Amino acid sequence: MIHRAGSWPLLVAAGALFLLAFAWARSRSTFLAIERDPAPARALAAQHAVPIADVLALRDLLGIEATTDRLAVAVGVYAAQRPRTGEPLAAILATGAVAAT
């Protein structure tokens, strides 16, 4: 008589591979790295009266290596342009202003 293990070993292996891939993807996330140090973003958000999520997203657009000074310029432009142009275009203008400097 042949004993079959069923499909559970394959499902367990697939689940383990998924968890490993998920952990690897999270460890490489620039946004999660930015979220670990929210103090500069929180201060800039309060100073310019914009949501902290917007400041964190701007920092992600600028890159994790962006300095606080560059982020401050971007948030200033974003806060000034947001009422006139809307959030998406204000983010593009803010990142463009920083790239031009």
Side-chain angles (χ1 to χ4, degrees):
M1 176 182 261
I2 298 175
H3 177 46
R4 294 183 51 194
S7 62
W8 72 267
L10 181 61
L11 291 173
V12 168
L17 282 174
F18 171 78
L19 290 175
L20 284 172
F22 185 73
W24 176 79
R26 282 185 57 89
S27 71
R28 297 186 47 85
S29 169
T30 56
F31 193 79
L32 291 177
I34 289 167
E35 248 183 352
R36 285 186 206 113
D37 184 24
R42 191 170 285 133
L44 287 169
Q47 179 183 352
H48 293 283
V50 296
I52 188 169
D54 292 0
V55 178
L56 292 172
L58 281 171
R59 178 143 183 236
D60 194 35
L61 286 172
L62 294 174
I64 195 166
E65 67 283 345
T67 63
T68 305
D69 293 337
R70 291 175 64 97
L71 180 60
V73 169
V75 173
V77 171
Y78 176 78
Q81 296 296 325
R82 191 173 76 145
R84 276 191 315 135
T85 63
E87 292 174 0
L89 189 54
I92 292 169
L93 292 170
T95 54
V98 170
T101 58

